[in-house]
Amino acid sequence: MNLILLGAPGAGKGTQAEVICAAKGIPAISTGNMLREAVKNGTESGLAAKKYMDAGELVPDEVVIGILKDRIAEPDCKGGFILDGFPRTVPQAEALEKMGVNIDKVIEIYVPDEKIAERLGGRRVCESCGNSYHVVYKPTKVEGVCDACGGRVVIRKDDEPATVLERLKVYHEKTAPLKDFYEKRGKLRTVVGQEEVAETSRLTLEAVNA
């Protein structure tokens, strides 16, 4: 089963990707993590992506698609995958179709903007392994230290308040039209994000299995 997770930055796509991944036994591919890995490793595409990410702008299609093509060709994607953070624009969705990638369902996690701003302000990420945390919803056992690898947990530049507002603006302008794109293809399912993460997860799995 090939799935796409849609939703504004901070809507909880990464968390729900983990839930689906565990339930279905398919890998969750976060383009954000893939891009950050490329930036960290100083690859050519990573350096190209960095200047856009630092400004809270979308990374150009050719950079993302190049990284993504390599990833979905790996053996663990043979039984399906979950895309989290791609496509972000209608041209990217069309490029995905041209690549011959069949998408079975598109799950949108909907959360209002004001809630997003509150969530992102508390989000933290491990510098070493990329694991995500939140000071309220998913704190680390030891403040500032990653539970998984012991790395340093920090606020990402793109989670700072001014950048969050810019990311939401970009999302509504560029990414929201994807809902119409996939709705016309009969693939869109919308899940309203709940206060309790477990409740959002239940609704998400219902949408996947429907």
Side-chain angles (χ1 to χ4, degrees), residues 20-147:
I20 300 167
C21 182
K24 295 287 178 189
I26 54 177
I29 300 172
S30 160
T31 46
N33 283 349
M34 277 197 321
L35 288 169
R36 280 189 285 279
E37 188 66 22
V39 168
K40 188 176 145 194
N41 293 337
T43 64
E44 191 180 335
S45 54
L47 294 172
K50 187 177 189 299
K51 61 182 179 185
Y52 296 97
M53 289 164 72
D54 284 349
E57 294 173 12
L58 293 178
V59 177
D61 293 0
E62 61 271 18
V63 178
V64 183
I65 289 169
I67 297 172
L68 183 67
K69 268 184 175 174
D70 293 341
R71 179 66 188 90
I72 62 175
E74 290 178 21
D76 64 337
C77 291
K78 282 207 171 80
F81 51 81
I82 307 155
L83 292 183
D84 167 13
F86 188 92
R88 289 193 178 191
T89 62
V90 169
Q92 284 181 349
E94 290 167 346
L96 209 55
E97 288 186 346
K98 285 192 187 119
M99 277 165 67
V101 179
N102 177 53
I103 298 299
D104 298 300
K105 278 180 190 164
V106 177
I107 311 290
E108 180 206 8
I109 311 290
Y110 171 76
V111 178
D113 282 6
E114 57 274 17
K115 196 78 189 159
I116 295 274
E118 178 190 309
R119 280 186 184 183
L120 287 184
R123 192 157 75 166
R124 301 291 182 268
V125 68
C126 174
E127 283 183 323
S128 302
C129 72
N131 269 9
S132 292
Y133 299 95
H134 193 282
V135 293
V136 177
Y137 305 111
K138 192 185 173 186
T140 51
K141 292 188 179 79
V142 178
E143 193 177 339
V145 179
C146 176
D147 294 353

Side-chain angles (χ1 to χ4, degrees), residues 5-7 10-17 19-20 107-112 115 119 137 189-208:
L5 278 178
L6 279 186
K13 298 186 298 297
T15 301
Q16 296 313 319
V19 169
I20 300 167
I107 311 290
E108 180 206 8
I109 311 290
Y110 171 76
V111 178
K115 196 78 189 159
R119 280 186 184 183
Y137 305 111
R189 309 283 185 276
T190 298
V191 172
V192 177
Q194 305 295 306
E195 279 300 316
E196 292 294 326
V197 175
E199 185 60 14
T200 306
S201 299
R202 184 184 68 78
L203 294 171
T204 300
L205 286 176
E206 271 182 14
V208 168

